[in-house]
Amino acid sequence: GGGGADAPREVAVTADQVVITGPRGFCVDPDSTRSRGDTGFVILGNCAAISGSTRAPQPDVPAVLTAAISGPSDGAQVTDDIGALEAVLRSEDGRRLLSRSGDASSVEILDTRVIDGILYVHARDTSAGNLAGVATDYWRAYLAVGQRLATLSMLALADQDVSDGDALETLAAFAQAVDRANPNAAGGPQAATEPARPPFTDGLLGRIFR
């Protein structure tokens, strides 16, 4: 069912109208949504909490989901080389990007997995910039939406006990929902057939680490 007028199930962001939607029970927080043409950011939470209606659906896992959509890459997608992306995230520069305060020493990579071409990262961020009310451990997924990179996060609530299995399952459902919602995203098949480039010389990661 829908989330109600004050709790939409999905939202389109960026000039390309990338659609962000989550698993059942998760709705978009309109007050937190940002779309600036090239990039977008969305927070999804409990539909009942956002709408203020106990009749609205609620998720099976007490968590907050976030989606950050990058600007379009001008080269091969970073997800074309999952191994290289994983190596970068484990590096000091990568851990600095994962830190909410920009401090690489605050981030510990606990686990990484690749499922259906999507990189999943389990990390712990103990920085002072940690979001209030959520656990220091979180799961993050990286997938291509056309020539854009979607970074999806699953943040368990700090006072709730969420197993790693449930967290990963929820994030995977989120990634699948976003992937299904954008079947006509341009650039995916073309990017996959382009000749390989030296890692990080162009595209999104090239701009990040240049």
Side-chain angles (χ1 to χ4, degrees):
D6 297 327
R9 287 296 310 277
E10 64 180 44
V11 65
V13 294
T14 76
D16 293 348
Q17 295 291 283
V18 174
V19 177
I20 301 300
T21 186
R24 185 186 183 279
F26 286 97
C27 287
V28 173
D29 178 6
D31 293 336
S32 301
T33 298
R34 301 289 182 267
S35 181
R36 296 185 174 90
D38 273 349
T39 61
F41 180 76
V42 181
I43 293 179
L44 300 93
N46 186 313
C47 290
I50 293 174
S51 67
S53 171
T54 56
R55 299 178 63 184
Q58 300 191 48
D60 295 330
V61 175
V64 173
L65 306 178
T66 70
I69 309 300
S70 78
S73 171
D74 55 6
Q77 258 289 354
V78 295
T79 50
D80 290 347
D81 190 342
I82 294 293
L85 175 58
E86 180 181 356
V88 168
L89 293 175
R90 286 185 176 276
S91 72
E92 183 174 358
D93 283 335
R95 286 183 287 110
R96 185 177 297 114
L97 286 174
L98 289 171
S99 172
R100 298 186 183 100
S101 65
D103 179 5
S105 66
S106 72
V107 172
E108 178 186 1
I109 304 295
L110 303 174
D111 189 14
T112 59
R113 305 183 189 188
V114 178
I115 304 173
D116 296 332
I118 298 173
L119 174 62
Y120 293 89
V121 177
H122 185 197
R124 176 179 294 121
D125 183 0
T126 58
S127 65
N130 195 20
L131 294 176
V134 299
T136 56
D137 289 18
Y138 63 86
W139 282 86
R140 187 167 288 177
Y142 297 86
L143 68 153
V145 179
Q147 286 299 102
R148 298 180 184 273
L149 178 68
T151 303
L152 310 179
S153 299
M154 187 279 183
L155 309 169
L157 300 184
D159 59 349
Q160 300 291 329
D161 184 18
V162 178
S163 70
D164 289 345
D166 286 344
L168 179 58
E169 183 178 353
T170 300
L171 182 57
F174 186 21
Q176 292 163 8
V178 171
D179 190 47
R180 287 194 303 267
N182 297 278
N184 299 316
Q190 290 82 357
T193 59
E194 288 183 357
R197 292 175 168 82
F200 319 131
T201 57
D202 57 11
L204 177 64
L205 284 187
R207 295 199 297 275
I208 291 175
F209 295 111
R210 185 172 296 138

